[in-house]
Amino acid sequence: MRKLKITELNRLTTDEYKTSDKTPLIVILDHVRSLHNVGSVFRTADAFRVEAVYLCGVTATPPNAEIHKTALGAENTVTWRYYKETLDAVAELKRQGYVVCAIEQADGSVSLERFFPDRRKKYAFIVGHEVKGVQQEVVDACDMCIEIPQYGTKHSLNVSVAAGITLWDFFRKLYHPAFD
């Protein structure tokens, strides 16, 4: 095997990306403190052509050199918006017909392997603060919670890892359902 060169990957240009069809998913960052996590979510959102990233509360916004370190320019391709209050973002998306899902451990949460997106709907996934997770009031406003199964001693995953797992799973199930 030979690793492919960047020039062989046939990636979209920034202009092509901006006009391309997007995955019907918005990622909401609820008070995410780490700029590296923010940048990582942008990069993953770019990889799966996510519609947008909403940055809420204390979450930093581009332009920012620390976000750029991990986003590697994805903060310039992925559409983003800032909301002071996460609940305002949730309310707006619900008015627009999105199914809003907190990625959180909660009573009645759906395990990720049992979540199957409806191709006729649009979704928003919320990931939260590195220590506190998604705010309870935000969880209360969601349509559902999706939980990533975990089998070790730790009770949570890094926020950008959790976003990456759920975005990849959503994309795979939406566009490649034969694998399920």
Side-chain angles (χ1 to χ4, degrees):
M1 273 187 260
R2 178 185 64 81
K3 282 177 50 175
L4 294 176
K5 296 176 184 171
I6 290 176
T7 56
E8 296 175 293
L9 296 176
N10 299 316
R11 296 291 190 234
L12 299 175
T13 66
T14 299
D15 290 337
E16 290 170 334
Y17 181 91
K18 289 188 180 246
T19 61
S20 67
D21 290 337
K22 302 296 187 288
T23 301
L25 177 65
I26 290 177
V27 178
I28 301 172
L29 301 184
D30 179 30
H31 291 272
V32 172
R33 299 173 305 171
S34 165
L35 302 178
H36 295 270
N37 281 335
V38 175
S40 181
V41 169
F42 267 105
R43 195 162 159 193
T44 304
D46 175 278
F48 297 111
R49 283 197 222 168
V50 168
E51 191 177 322
V53 174
Y54 287 5
L55 309 165
C56 302
V58 301
T59 308
T61 63
N64 183 298
E66 290 299 309
I67 290 173
H68 182 74
K69 278 184 185 179
T70 49
L72 296 178
E75 74 277 23
N76 301 316
T77 57
V78 177
T79 299
W80 63 270
R81 290 183 67 180
Y82 175 77
Y83 290 84
K84 185 176 180 185
E85 300 295 332
T86 308
L87 284 174
D88 293 339
V90 169
E92 180 178 314
L93 289 169
K94 286 183 127 191
R95 279 192 300 275
Q96 295 175 16
Y98 283 80
V99 177
V100 181
C101 311
I103 308 304
E104 190 59 83
Q105 300 166 8
D107 289 332
S109 63
V110 174
S111 189
L112 184 60
E113 74 270 13
R114 292 187 176 87
F115 170 74
F116 294 95
D118 182 334
R119 291 171 181 234
R120 299 166 295 180
K121 296 181 180 180
K122 302 177 292 187
Y123 290 84
F125 285 0
I126 306 173
V127 292
H129 184 274
E130 289 85 351
V131 175
K132 300 174 185 176
V134 178
Q135 299 174 82
Q136 183 62 55
E137 64 184 358
V138 174
V139 169
D140 292 342
C142 288
D143 297 304
M144 65 184 303
C145 287
I146 299 171
E147 184 172 337
I148 301 168
Q150 297 168 56
Y151 303 99
T153 61
K154 300 300 170 194
H155 61 80
S156 65
L157 294 165
N158 172 278
V159 65
S160 64
V161 171
I165 289 168
T166 54
L167 268 63
W168 175 81
D169 188 72
F170 181 86
F171 185 88
R172 179 180 65 90
K173 288 174 178 173
L174 197 64
Y175 298 115
H176 305 287
F179 293 114
D180 290 318

